[in-house]
Amino acid sequence: MTAVAGHSDVTRVGDAAHEIARTHDPRDVTDYIGACFDAGLSWVHFPEGLGGLGVSRGLQAVADSILQAAGAPDARIRNLIGYGMAAPTVCEHAQTDELKHAWLRPLATGEEVWCQLFSEPGAGSDLAGLATSAVRDGDDWVVNGQKVWTTLAHRARWALLLARTDPDAPKHKGLTYFVVDMHAPGVSTRPLRQMTGHAEFNEVYLDGVRIPDRHRLGAVGAGWRVAMTTLMNERTSIGASGSRRGEGTIADAVALWAQRPDRHSPVLRDRLAQLWLRSEVQRLTAERAHATATAEGPGPEGSIGKLVGAELNQQIYEFCMDLLGPEGTLYGDYTMREIGPESVNSGESIQQSFLRSRANTIEGGTSEVLRNVLGERMLGLPGDVRTDSGPWREVPRG
Amino acid sequence: MADQTAIRPSVDPHGADPHGADPDTPTAGGTIETPPGAEPFTFTPEHRELRAAVRRFCADTSDEATVRRLMESTPAFDPQTWSRLGRELGVLGLGVPEDLGGSGGGLVDAAIVAEEFGAALFCGPVIGTVALAIPALAAAGDSAARTETLTPLLAGDRTAAFAVRERAGRFDPGSVTVRASGSGGDHLTGIVTQVVDAGVADDLLVAASVPGGVALYVVDATATGVERTALATLDQTRPQATIRFREAPGRLLAGPDDTPRVVQRALDSGAVLLAAEQVGGAQHLLDVSVTYAKERLQFGRPIGSFQAVKHRLADMLVEVEHARSAAYYAAWAVQDGIDDPTLAASIAQATCSPAFTGAAAGAVQVHGGIGFTWEHPAHLYFKRAFTDAVLLGSAEEHRDAIATAVLADAPIEHEVMVAAG
């Protein structure tokens, strides 16, 4: 992109954002966000007419800062999976522009929430080993199976589904990607209660659910490649970090330290210093990754953030529990209730955050898998001996 | 043959910050407060050229056989090679202003050199001369003693050691063991133990008690009243000596008002360069361990295919990347003043020391039996790692200092909720 073209794109995005800010009332949330979609400001790098302007992704920040300053409602928080994962996948792989538009606009406004039907009781880290089947029947596919760890399934209108269409192919080759209507007959959703007492996730049962073939994303058997679009965008959204020194989880530990002077000891002080140090250096590493990614392409420093952050979160809340002593053995309220992703990070109490942090080293890639990724992709170490390269049907499961 | 071209960073002829941003390049955020070029982690093509040139120089002058020969020699380095660093490459004066005879550039440039030295286990008075004495002299006020000491150090004609005790990388007047006396107050008496690079140094920078505080002197190591005892060291590539001063003649570099600042500047710079050396050593150990894990076959497979080995190496990668972030952030902090330099240096030291010792322990373990032999170079790095870890403050001491700095003023407005049952 030439400097001149880049400059005109900046102007274009800026002008569009200022126009919305001037002509729309942020209190009418759906209208406001819908106008943003129509003006191409939902995902500026998407094509025109599909919520974008076909400009560089980096210019999203230009639109966002203008809209935020004008008091615009936060569209993404209403549909996190929709914005971060569904939209890029639908935009790239849906079969027609009509479908893309029909899905993307209500996704953008939050009128239709999206969720993701990937993990299964028998397919966690080994996602490509999943067993939910989709069998062709005329113009439809008939789906049977069980999905789990589905955020927002109870609120969702649409879901991204990865299902097995060829059990005789090797596991990565027999998958196909669909969009499922969560209101279709045969879809049932049950809250999945977790150790905090809350239900942040759901189990979803698919019992003879019919999906029209035009709701297939990508070719039959190409589901794994399409899923990579979704998962790459998940990594990008999890990996983003821009906090300042002392912010984030470590702020809880430092504040609790200040609140409980009677519990101070030299041993706990050094543990807190270690946690503060690691938080700070993780922050610096994210900053370095950001500075060098633009110049030299992404390096290993960008891949370690999730692994470090997850383990650090756990260690920080373990420290908090040790600092609290007997007080930490009390709890607030185990009454079962369903919560959305917007309230996950605003823990009700240290004790609840402590329990929630156990999921950090499991969700979004277990620490064990991430260490394999670092070892194999970053260091080039050989993979483990495989016992699952034959037809999926013959791979031991359980 | 090493590149004969002197390595010069991109120095602004007007003496402005040599890493100043191109005025035509817009900077992120457009903040006015940040000085140009002060964005950390913005490595330039000149930085990469410097690194490549020093790496070539080390490949020629610091191969394993040379390191093993030099570490059993006295002096434990090659004075001719050292002189080339000053006269040919100009890397001894990186971060020293050109009007003092330095090469310009900044501490980031010096850190890149230190990292490459660390990777190659380069034998020479890096700590005494480059990391501590030269920054102290550059920070000291103008005097004949300063100029006459600094110039031959920058040229690589003479070397120096820094006989100043510190605590957690901080100037500590209470630990000074030398006092100045005599009519002019310039005769030094006292003992300083375990001074790195002091055994064969030409000049000794010494902190001594004077009326009103502590002053910094330079003493010619061959002068009457200076007695040095070389010590056998765990790391043979990094010699130490104990120095006994008896009415030794000193030349004043900084008086009691100025010495705390000058010494702290040297300690901050030294901690950064030591951290960079640790990064270089740790990265080298990770590299050779990964290579070995790919090649070594047991149970019919490369040992790197076993998760127990793979995950240990992945953890080493995390620690090395963290160490690099901390070391270079501190380099930019000390160079450009974008953060409290002493805190940033403590963060670097508290991170890089365990990263290097952990990498060294991991390297020996991954190499198995061969890694424990004298023949294999792993032990050379292992000994360097555990020696570096206590130089200029241990990780524990630095964490203690960090805790003092950051835990005292916790934000009161951030109220955390504790469930009360």
Side-chain angles (χ1 to χ4, degrees), chain A residues 30-368:
Chain A
T30 304
D31 169 71
Y32 197 97
I33 302 174
C36 291
F37 177 89
D38 297 336
L41 299 179
S42 293
W43 305 271
V44 294
H45 57 293
F46 281 18
E48 289 188 53
L50 296 175
L53 291 168
V55 299
S56 160
R57 187 179 186 148
L59 297 181
Q60 187 70 47
V62 174
D64 290 354
S65 63
I66 293 168
L67 291 168
Q68 271 166 28
D74 184 353
R76 289 181 187 82
I77 195 75
R78 294 150 56 89
N79 204 357
L80 283 172
I81 293 165
Y83 266 86
M85 296 181 234
T89 314
V90 164
C91 182
E92 190 173 335
H93 297 286
Q95 292 181 20
T96 66
D97 277 355
E98 289 69 31
L99 272 175
K100 289 179 186 179
H101 189 272
W103 276 326
L104 287 173
R105 195 177 191 283
L107 181 160
T109 60
E111 291 167 283
E112 291 180 353
V113 171
W114 285 64
C115 68
Q116 170 188 305
L117 300 176
F118 277 18
S119 294
E120 298 180 4
S125 292
D126 183 15
L127 177 62
L130 59 85
T132 292
S133 70
V135 177
R136 187 73 190 247
D137 181 28
D139 285 341
D140 290 346
W141 294 83
V142 179
V143 179
N144 283 285
Q146 182 191 351
K147 294 288 181 175
V148 75
W149 302 122
T150 310
T151 311
L152 287 172
H154 58 294
R155 292 187 203 162
R157 172 62 205 272
W158 298 100
L160 305 169
L161 170 73
L162 198 54
R164 185 158 307 280
T165 45
D166 183 359
D168 294 313
K171 62 179 189 175
H172 291 90
K173 309 274 186 194
L175 301 172
T176 304
Y177 204 112
F178 300 96
V179 173
V180 189
D181 182 350
M182 291 294 284
H183 294 176
V187 177
S188 54
T189 297
R190 232 172 51 188
L192 183 63
R193 197 178 185 194
Q194 61 208 39
M195 68 159 81
T196 56
H198 299 157
E200 225 179 282
F201 308 103
N202 301 88
E203 299 178 290
V204 176
Y205 294 86
L206 302 157
D207 184 11
V209 178
R210 298 191 79 85
I211 303 175
D213 184 58
R214 62 194 184 90
H215 287 185
R216 171 174 47 78
L217 302 189
V220 174
W224 187 252
R225 199 177 60 74
V226 180
M228 285 304 106
T229 311
T230 312
L231 295 175
M232 292 286 278
N233 280 285
E234 180 181 33
R235 286 271 156 80
T236 315
S237 50
I238 288 179
S241 169
S243 66
R244 290 179 298 170
R245 173 178 288 170
E247 288 183 348
T249 312
I250 190 65
D252 278 356
V254 173
L256 190 68
W257 176 258
Q259 287 175 27
R260 293 292 186 283
D262 54 310
R263 298 277 307 165
H264 287 190
S265 75
V267 177
L268 284 172
R269 180 174 177 272
D270 187 54
R271 266 179 72 189
L272 180 54
Q274 291 191 40
L275 295 168
W276 186 93
L277 178 67
R278 200 155 180 81
S279 301
E280 171 63 6
V281 177
Q282 188 205 12
R283 187 186 72 81
L284 294 175
T285 300
E287 199 175 309
R288 183 164 65 88
H290 183 74
T292 54
T294 44
E296 299 159 14
E301 64 273 18
S303 305
I304 64 179
K306 199 276 170 180
L307 173 67
V308 173
E311 296 186 349
L312 191 51
N313 265 359
Q314 292 181 348
Q315 290 159 9
I316 286 170
Y317 286 115
E318 286 163 10
F319 163 82
C320 288
M321 293 295 280
D322 289 341
L323 176 61
L324 286 172
E327 203 182 346
T329 63
L330 303 175
Y331 203 68
D333 185 3
Y334 273 126
T335 307
M336 158 72 182
R337 61 190 175 82
E338 295 183 47
I339 59 171
E342 65 278 2
S343 52
V344 168
N345 292 325
S346 55
E348 296 170 356
S349 65
I350 287 290
Q351 294 94 324
Q352 196 221 313
S353 299
F354 164 69
L355 294 179
R356 179 60 182 78
S357 71
R358 302 324 298 183
N360 294 158
T361 50
I362 302 166
E363 59 195 350
T366 67
S367 294
E368 289 72 19

Side-chain angles (χ1 to χ4, degrees), chain B residues 291-304:
Chain B
T291 300
Y292 187 74
K294 290 178 187 172
E295 292 168 353
R296 171 70 172 172
L297 302 178
Q298 290 286 276
F299 306 100
R301 312 155 52 170
I303 60 169

Side-chain angles (χ1 to χ4, degrees), chain B residues 137-229:
Chain B
L137 290 161
D142 192 25
S143 69
R146 189 269 286 271
T147 307
E148 287 162 23
T149 309
L150 183 57
T151 304
L153 294 184
L154 297 176
D157 293 342
R158 287 168 71 87
T159 70
F162 195 67
V164 182
R165 283 268 161 275
E166 44 70 42
R167 190 178 293 272
R170 281 149 180 80
F171 174 61
D172 179 29
S175 65
V176 171
T177 52
V178 177
R179 63 187 161 76
S181 61
S183 56
D186 53 6
H187 279 72
L188 308 181
T189 300
I191 297 173
V192 189
T193 56
Q194 286 193 253
V195 179
V196 172
D197 296 328
V200 296
D202 303 294
D203 292 304
L204 305 170
L205 270 60
V206 190
S209 303
V210 295
V214 173
L216 187 66
Y217 294 84
V218 58
V219 176
D220 186 320
T222 59
T224 319
V226 179
E227 180 189 318
R228 290 176 289 175
T229 310

Side-chain angles (χ1 to χ4, degrees), chain B residues 84-172:
Chain B
R84 287 180 60 201
L85 290 175
R87 292 183 173 274
E88 278 177 31
L89 278 76
V91 295
L92 299 178
L94 289 168
V96 177
E98 286 182 284
D99 55 13
L100 298 182
S103 314
L107 195 62
V108 174
D109 300 88
I112 288 168
V113 175
E115 184 186 339
E116 293 301 321
F117 283 174
L121 219 58
F122 187 87
C123 291
V126 175
I127 295 295
T129 305
V130 181
L132 294 166
I134 288 176
L137 290 161
D142 192 25
S143 69
R146 189 269 286 271
T147 307
E148 287 162 23
T149 309
L150 183 57
T151 304
L153 294 184
L154 297 176
D157 293 342
R158 287 168 71 87
T159 70
F162 195 67
V164 182
R165 283 268 161 275
E166 44 70 42
R167 190 178 293 272
R170 281 149 180 80
F171 174 61
D172 179 29

